[in-house]
Amino acid sequence: MNHPSLTSPLSTLGAGVLLALAGCRSNPASAEAVLPVPLDAHSHAEPNRVRVRHVDLDLTVDFAARVASGRVELDLVRLDPSAPLVLDALALEIQDATGSDGTPRDFTLAPPDELLGSALTIELEPWDDSVVVRYATTPASEAMQWLTPEQTRDGTHPFLFTQGESILTRSWIPLQDSPGVRVTYAARIRVPDGLTAVMSAEQLGLEDGVWRFRMERPIPPYLIALGVGRLEFRALSARCGVWAEPSFVDAAAAELEDTEAMVRSAEKLFGPYRWGRYDMLVLPPAFPYGGMENPRLTFLTPTMFAGDKSLVSLIAHELAHSWSGNLVTNATWRDFWLNEGTTTYFEQRIMEEVYGPARSEMEQQLGYEGLVRSKAEMDPRDTVLFIDLSGRHPDEGSTDVPYEKGALFLRRLEQLFGRERFDEFLTEYFDANAFRSITTPEFEAYLRAHLLASDPARAAGVDVEEWLYEPGLPADAPRPASAELARVDEALRLLGSAATSAELDTDGWVTQQWLHFLEGMPADLTAERMAELDATFAFTASDNDEILAVWLRLAIAHGYAAADERLELFLMTVGRRKFLQPLYTELAKTESGKLRAHQIYAQARPRYHSVSTGTIDDILDWERGDSE
Ligand SMILES: [Zn+2]
């Protein structure tokens, strides 16, 4: 079988590059930075010729104009002395470029590629070991979302946040926007009086109206992140805390009180937390993700705050990324499962440590069932862990597959080798590859050398090539089963034999059980039955957004009109893609539903981040410019 693991990543580099790299190894100052970077189909950069290794940002944030402007200084390693510097840039206004002696350098901004944006090529003089680019973002800079005061919780001040993953950092900073290129960074950010700037870095404080930051550990560019708003901070422990709008910061701190316990559990499982502080920033509901693992400062959706800690597995997930993703990073977006599958497995282990096996088993089973449902509707080629994304946007690979199939692969290895041996392996893996970006074939080689080779008899129980390079779910995939969810299956059976909802034994049910209950509703569910369920359990009035989102999808599918108003309010206020995608998909299944979706979307679209509109535009065949 011919698959990509048979090709060494080095073989994709030209001989000239290897020579340049070899030559460069004699220079101890840049020894760390010159490991070859694998080819990345989603970047114009040529990091094996000239490599950016440090980013120094100086920006002023202008809420009225919705732009940030200033300069970025990039420190370079010159692997090929004759090569220009090639950067990624998207929707940026480039003013000028200067070399390390402060004199101008010629540059060209190529016409934008539809997926990747432009290549920004800067000619270098032989002595240049840095360049300065003066630039401004534009309102089309997709990483940045500018919110009016009305779109925040408190309604008093505007808000700005950036979302870099996967390939959006290039829309607010011109740089080599490939996860294989690791950089340290420093930043000086000016914001209007009364607002606070926070970043995925060590905060050095406010000095002469300038917020200062420093990240001394090399990170992939998608993890550079900025938030600006009216924010307050609450400490949760000596190294953990939360930033949120003033009216919410105490409630947020209460819901997140177990954070320190999670960090300790994670360290006990897989080695030290290496980033110093672990803080969190609660964003307005427009945030397109559940959470984003920006180092030292996880960005969070407010939709995870259910008031009862029932959705805090999200924190376990983002925290786990401090190892899988931020410490050991997918080298290209084909390798996304290395970030997400490992993190999902790690998240389940943290949940087990902090909240017990029953909670973790419920979450594993829900994840498995979600995978089975979505896999049934996917093109088989997209169910491969080492997915082929050439010619496509990386976000098309962000499905249940890298998360859940990836986690099942690690779970299978744990089953075969035993927990103790597998934990030892993962701990060594994080340590050996710390602050590196690796490919799936490199992971495979590491796995074979450090786990499989140590016990060939056990290794024979798993077909690694099938797991990594073939579509579908291998026959040996573990099948999580939760006794708590079996109770729910019993209730569903009763309901199927025409019991009224009041007769069901739902005593003590938690969020995960309610989710399983709603996902298990029969295909012939009627609006009358929904009304009866609603009268008993008040789903339409739920303030748990996970439960509400599933209920609203059922309401669309089965014509339960009493939830219409709640649906519209939800779509107008929440921007989290995970919720929007199934709701708009369900609406688009009928002509009348699609018409209604278009009416809602015309108003709601300006409130969503580009990550979400990129997905919903496709679902609704929305032409940019339609009724905007
Ligand atoms: Zn994740």
Side-chain angles (χ1 to χ4, degrees):
M1 182 171 42
N2 182 21
H3 63 67
S5 73
L6 302 175
T7 312
S8 153
L10 271 173
S11 67
T12 56
L13 300 173
V17 173
L18 286 172
L19 278 177
L21 291 170
C24 211
R25 285 204 186 96
S26 59
N27 175 0
S30 50
E32 189 60 30
V34 294
L35 288 171
V37 169
L39 283 184
D40 179 358
H42 296 107
S43 169
H44 292 294
E46 296 175 358
N48 293 315
R49 303 180 76 197
V50 181
R51 179 93 46 95
V52 173
R53 64 172 172 185
H54 179 74
V55 173
D56 187 272
L57 261 186
D58 193 316
L59 289 177
T60 299
V61 173
D62 181 344
F63 277 94
R66 298 194 156 194
V67 299
S69 58
R71 41 154 269 176
V72 63
E73 180 169 1
L74 305 170
D75 289 355
L76 309 175
V77 181
R78 306 278 301 269
L79 299 166
D80 173 355
S82 67
L85 171 63
V86 185
L87 305 175
D88 294 297
L90 173 64
L92 296 177
E93 206 181 281
I94 306 297
Q95 285 142 11
D96 60 38
T98 48
S100 45
D101 58 6
T103 62
R105 295 289 174 267
D106 289 338
F107 68 90
T108 50
L109 189 63
D113 174 276
E114 197 188 335
L115 282 179
L116 309 183
S118 296
L120 170 61
T121 304
I122 301 172
E123 302 302 329
L124 301 173
E125 295 292 349
W127 54 85
D128 285 334
D129 57 7
S130 67
V131 295
V132 172
V133 181
R134 284 204 308 139
Y135 73 100
T137 66
T138 66
S141 291
E142 293 182 9
M144 310 185 103
Q145 189 164 9
W146 302 85
L147 301 175
T148 62
E150 297 71 44
Q151 288 170 274
T152 68
R153 184 180 188 96
D154 288 358
T156 57
H157 292 72
F159 204 104
L160 163 69
F161 67 85
T162 66
Q163 167 58 42
E165 194 176 18
S166 54
I167 55 170
L168 294 178
T169 300
R170 65 191 67 178
S171 78
W172 74 288
I173 310 169
L175 43 57
Q176 294 181 322
D177 194 8
S178 171
V181 179
R182 304 186 81 94
V183 294
T184 52
Y185 82 89
R188 290 170 300 288
I189 309 288
R190 280 164 215 80
V191 304
D193 282 350
L195 298 184
T196 298
V198 290
M199 290 191 85
S200 54
E202 184 184 347
Q203 194 183 46
L204 303 176
L206 179 66
E207 211 178 293
D208 302 328
V210 184
W211 293 91
R212 290 162 192 276
F213 303 91
R214 175 174 67 196
M215 168 49 73
E216 291 182 317
R217 295 169 178 86
I219 58 170
Y222 71 84
L223 292 176
I224 303 177
L226 169 69
V228 180
R230 182 145 169 77
L231 297 171
E232 278 185 22
F233 180 77
R234 291 288 181 277
L236 300 168
S237 69
R239 61 175 161 178
C240 300
V242 58
W243 293 94
E245 291 183 60
S247 74
F248 190 58
V249 71
D250 288 316
E255 189 104 3
L256 299 173
E257 66 179 355
D258 297 335
T259 306
E260 176 65 31
M262 287 191 184
V263 181
R264 283 186 193 181
S265 297
E267 289 189 307
K268 190 176 126 203
L269 285 166
F270 300 121
Y273 177 77
R274 304 185 197 218
W275 303 89
R277 295 196 58 83
Y278 182 76
D279 293 327
M280 293 156 284
L281 168 66
V282 183
L283 292 157
F287 188 58
Y289 289 117
M292 180 62 215
E293 64 269 23
N294 299 313
R296 292 178 66 100
L297 186 67
T298 286
F299 283 22
L300 287 179
T301 174
T303 64
M304 65 144 288
F305 293 87
D308 59 2
K309 299 191 209 169
S310 63
L311 303 177
V312 296
S313 62
L314 186 72
I315 305 299
H317 182 93
E318 305 312 330
L319 171 65
H321 272 306
S322 305
W323 286 259
S324 42
N326 299 2
L327 189 62
V328 185
T329 307
N330 51 211
T332 78
W333 297 111
R334 296 193 71 177
D335 310 299
F336 187 53
W337 81 272
L338 280 177
N339 277 16
E340 297 302 345
T342 314
T343 292
T344 300
Y345 172 79
F346 194 160
E347 163 202 336
Q348 293 163 356
R349 297 290 306 277
I350 295 173
M351 291 306 287
E352 182 185 325
E353 286 282 326
V354 179
Y355 299 100
R359 169 83 170 261
S360 180
E361 281 159 15
M362 281 193 283
E363 292 179 339
Q364 287 173 51
Q365 188 181 329
L366 290 178
Y368 176 85
E369 287 168 353
L371 172 66
V372 170
R373 274 195 306 275
S374 53
K375 194 166 66 70
E377 297 179 359
M378 287 171 71
D379 185 330
R381 71 183 178 142
D382 290 343
T383 66
V384 175
L385 286 180
F386 189 48
I387 186 175
D388 181 0
L389 288 169
S390 47
R392 296 197 285 165
H393 193 284
D395 289 0
E396 287 189 38
S398 181
T399 67
D400 284 339
V401 169
Y403 292 78
E404 301 295 341
K405 182 180 173 184
L408 288 169
F409 176 42
L410 300 195
R411 187 68 68 178
R412 175 67 185 138
L413 293 169
E414 182 206 312
Q415 279 181 348
L416 276 173
F417 287 86
R419 183 166 270 197
E420 199 179 328
R421 175 71 188 100
F422 186 63
D423 285 0
E424 187 189 10
F425 163 77
L426 260 193
T427 306
E428 285 167 8
Y429 162 74
F430 290 132
D431 197 46
N433 296 288
F435 302 107
R436 286 192 56 205
S437 300
I438 68 171
T439 63
T440 299
E442 284 172 310
F443 171 85
E444 184 194 352
Y446 188 89
L447 175 72
R448 289 191 185 284
H450 294 90
L451 184 66
L452 305 190
S454 69
D455 194 336
R458 288 178 203 269
V462 64
D463 184 341
V464 172
E465 294 189 357
E466 184 188 5
W467 272 99
L468 295 179
Y469 306 108
E470 297 293 320
L473 207 49
D476 65 336
R479 204 175 160 161
S482 148
E484 304 295 322
L485 295 187
R487 261 187 79 198
V488 177
D489 292 331
E490 187 50 41
L492 283 167
R493 260 192 297 279
L494 261 178
L495 199 67
S497 55
T500 64
S501 47
E503 293 169 54
L504 304 178
D505 175 19
T506 61
D507 210 29
W509 276 15
V510 296
T511 296
Q512 287 71 24
Q513 288 167 302
W514 288 113
L515 289 172
H516 188 64
F517 181 68
L518 292 176
E519 291 289 5
M521 285 292 140
D524 62 353
L525 184 66
T526 62
E528 291 70 38
R529 176 62 104 180
M530 287 194 74
E532 193 246 338
L533 288 165
D534 211 6
T536 313
F537 302 121
F539 290 122
T540 303
S542 174
D543 48 18
N544 182 311
D545 285 341
E546 292 276 351
I547 290 172
L548 185 61
V550 180
W551 176 252
L552 293 174
R553 178 169 52 75
L554 292 172
I556 301 166
H558 302 288
Y560 179 55
D564 280 359
E565 216 175 303
R566 190 74 186 86
L567 172 68
E568 284 175 32
L569 181 67
F570 190 79
L571 293 175
M572 284 300 292
T573 48
V574 173
R576 187 174 172 186
R577 182 174 63 174
K578 170 187 165 179
F579 295 151
L580 300 181
Q581 185 172 13
L583 292 172
Y584 280 109
T585 301
E586 198 61 52
L587 281 169
K589 283 180 181 169
T590 65
E591 274 312 306
S592 62
K594 194 161 181 179
L595 191 66
R596 191 170 152 221
H598 270 254
Q599 285 162 355
I600 298 170
Y601 193 52
Q603 292 180 61
R605 191 176 184 280
R607 294 166 164 261
Y608 299 156
H609 188 273
S610 66
V611 162
S612 293
T613 59
T615 299
I616 313 301
D617 284 359
D618 287 347
I619 293 170
L620 298 180
D621 303 317
W622 186 267
E623 300 286 334
R624 287 180 179 227
D626 275 12
S627 359
E628 276 184 278

